[in-house]
Each structure stands twice: as structure tokens, then as C-alpha cells.
Amino acid sequence: MSAEESRARLRLDAALDHLAVTFAGLTARPDENNCVCHWGAAEELALLKVADTELEPDLLRRTWQAPDWRDHASVLRRILPQFARSLVAGCAGPWYAEAGWSFARGRWEQWPAAQAGAVREFLHAWWARTLIDPRPVVPVPDVLVLATGASAAVAPWLGVWETLTGPPADGHLAALVERWEWELIGDQLPWNSRDDNEEEIRTGLTSWLVRNAPARLRAHGAPAELLNRIRLLGLDGAARWEDPGWDGRPF
């Protein structure tokens, strides 16, 4: 492990520890409730009103996924230390966009400064650790989707990526372009979003890729076809479809 990776790992470990300290002793509201049929049993609900008790994985997932808590912020604060560790461990399965929505529903950026700062540092530490990890537990696109959903903004995360160049960050960039190229060429956001500024996020991501990806992908040894996709992203409207480099494949 390189010195940079070691520093990033220590930063993430510290951020997770800080979440545990910051949110220790917190519980859901005494009057919190949810549907027994669609969420869980009364004894499971009672666990949310007991501080610092670990939830079994399925209950944890159902809790952060549920969209209809009376006070989602309090529920999120109750589970946040365990929730964050499960995210880093890759336990959110295919639901990283939904995990971002859970943060957003909790309106964490409006919490007291110490709490909001702990969440912000966790997200940034996890993102930085992912970018410089050659084989991250959670792929870079999934962490980016979560962080963007949690903050309703893509620019801060792309700004961090812009400062990290060379392997493995450029390899992750190539993998992201390969995964998302067709949706972006079709002027679609590559993931389901509940943000009112979805179009702003899409155009911001596209513009960033057009500015930053070509040189980095060339240095990484990306194939000419992938570089051509990035070039096409920089064209608007009919210019894209009429370009000689457009091969007419459906997206």
C-alpha cells in the first residue's frame, strides 16, 4: 500500500470513528412509527429508540430505505455510524442511489455544525479513499452517485477527482466513461435521481468529462473509440449525430 493510500485509509477510519462519537447516544423520537406490514415489527421499531444498539443487516437496510418516517433526520442520526460502516463495506448492494436519497431526506446539511461536519468529512474521506484505491470495495461510479444524491451536487466530488491524477484515479475515470458513455451521449443522467437540479448535474458531469477526461484517458492508454465518445459529448444537438465519428449505434 502506498503512503497516499495509507493516509487516505487513516482519514476514512478517523471519519468513521468521529461519526460514532458524534452520534453516540442518539435515538429515534419516542413517538416514531412505521407500518408493520411494509417496514417491520414493533420490537424492531423499539430498537430504534434504544441508543447504540447494532441492528441486523436487513433491519438496517429497511430503516435507511424507508421513505416515510415521521422524523427521518432523527432515524438517520440513530443509525448513522453503523450505516456509514455498512456503506464502506459494500453492503448497500445495488442501492447506492437510494442511500444517497436517505442522506438527502435527512437534510443533514441543516443539522448542527458538528453533526453536519462529521457527515461531510465522512463523505469526502470515503470518496478520496475510493479514488486512490486500485480495487475499491465500492466502485467509483457508485460512490459518486451516493455522494451526489446526498449533497444534490456533483461539482464538489468532481473537484476532488480533478486534484487526483495518475493511476489508479485515471483508471477509475476510464471505467466510469465506459459505464456511462451511452446515457451521457443520449443526454441522460446515468442513474435515477430525485434531485430538482438533475439537468444541472448531468450537464456539469458532461462538461467536466469533456474538459478533463481526454488527456487523462490518453495517458492511461484508453482506446481511440472511448476518446471519440468523449469528443462527441462536447458536441451539441445535430452536430453530434451528424459528426463523421458517430457510428449510429443506439444508446
Side-chain angles (χ1 to χ4, degrees), residues 9 17 26-27 35 53 82 87 104 118 121 153 156 163 166 174 181 183 194 213 237 242-244 249 251:
R9 184 189 65 183
D17 289 344
L26 300 184
T27 68
C35 174
T53 300
Q82 185 183 359
L87 291 173
E121 172 58 13
T163 68
E181 55 163 321
E183 290 89 348
R194 295 181 181 177
E242 295 172 0
D243 186 89
R249 286 190 294 164
F251 48 84

Side-chain angles (χ1 to χ4, degrees), residues 6-19 88 125-126 129:
S6 181
R7 287 192 298 271
R9 184 189 65 183
L10 290 173
R11 179 187 178 188
L12 178 55
D13 288 345
L16 290 168
D17 289 344
H18 188 47
L19 284 178
V88 171
W126 184 26
R129 175 74 177 95

Side-chain angles (χ1 to χ4, degrees), residues 153-244:
V154 74
W157 317 108
L158 297 178
V160 172
W161 204 347
E162 196 164 340
T163 68
L164 298 173
T165 59
D170 290 351
H172 294 317
L173 182 57
L176 179 140
V177 174
E178 289 172 353
R179 179 169 164 179
W180 285 351
E181 55 163 321
W182 281 106
E183 290 89 348
L184 292 173
I185 284 177
D187 292 331
Q188 301 170 15
L189 194 65
W191 66 89
N192 291 327
S193 171
R194 295 181 181 177
D195 295 312
D196 293 335
N197 62 338
E198 177 179 334
E199 183 65 9
E200 177 184 338
I201 290 171
R202 182 192 66 79
T203 57
L205 173 60
T206 298
S207 298
W208 186 85
L209 289 172
V210 169
R211 290 195 313 272
N212 291 277
R216 295 176 66 162
L217 294 185
R218 277 192 292 271
H220 182 69
E225 181 180 1
L226 197 62
L227 293 169
N228 182 55
R229 299 290 179 214
I230 296 295
R231 185 184 63 81
L232 289 171
L233 283 177
L235 304 178
D236 294 325
R240 182 179 299 168
W241 318 125
E242 295 172 0
D243 186 89

Side-chain angles (χ1 to χ4, degrees), residues 13-174:
D13 288 345
L16 290 168
D17 289 344
H18 188 47
L19 284 178
V21 171
T22 301
F23 296 96
L26 300 184
T27 68
R29 284 172 27 177
D31 63 345
E32 187 60 78
N33 202 1
N34 212 314
C35 174
V36 172
C37 297
H38 297 97
W39 177 77
E43 56 268 26
E44 292 178 317
L45 181 64
L47 291 174
L48 300 183
K49 301 172 186 179
V50 178
D52 307 325
T53 300
E54 291 280 305
L55 308 180
E56 59 88 16
D58 182 66
L59 176 58
L60 177 66
R61 178 191 56 78
R62 284 184 278 125
T63 299
W64 64 255
Q65 279 187 325
D68 50 357
W69 296 109
R70 292 177 179 176
D71 185 347
H72 187 88
S74 292
V75 171
L76 182 59
R77 285 190 287 261
R78 160 64 179 85
I79 66 171
L80 193 49
Q82 185 183 359
F83 181 28
R85 292 196 306 274
S86 75
L87 291 173
V88 171
C91 297
W95 300 300
Y96 279 89
E98 291 186 41
W101 301 339
S102 186
F103 278 93
R105 282 197 302 275
R107 300 181 183 276
W108 64 272
E109 291 174 297
Q110 299 176 19
W111 294 354
Q115 294 181 353
V119 176
R120 185 176 297 106
E121 172 58 13
F122 160 65
L123 292 173
H124 277 273
W126 184 26
W127 175 235
R129 175 74 177 95
T130 303
L131 286 172
I132 66 173
D133 188 338
R135 293 174 295 277
V137 174
V138 182
V140 163
D142 293 324
V143 180
L144 180 59
V145 166
L146 184 149
T148 300
S151 60
V154 74
W157 317 108
L158 297 178
V160 172
W161 204 347
E162 196 164 340
T163 68
L164 298 173
T165 59
D170 290 351
H172 294 317
L173 182 57

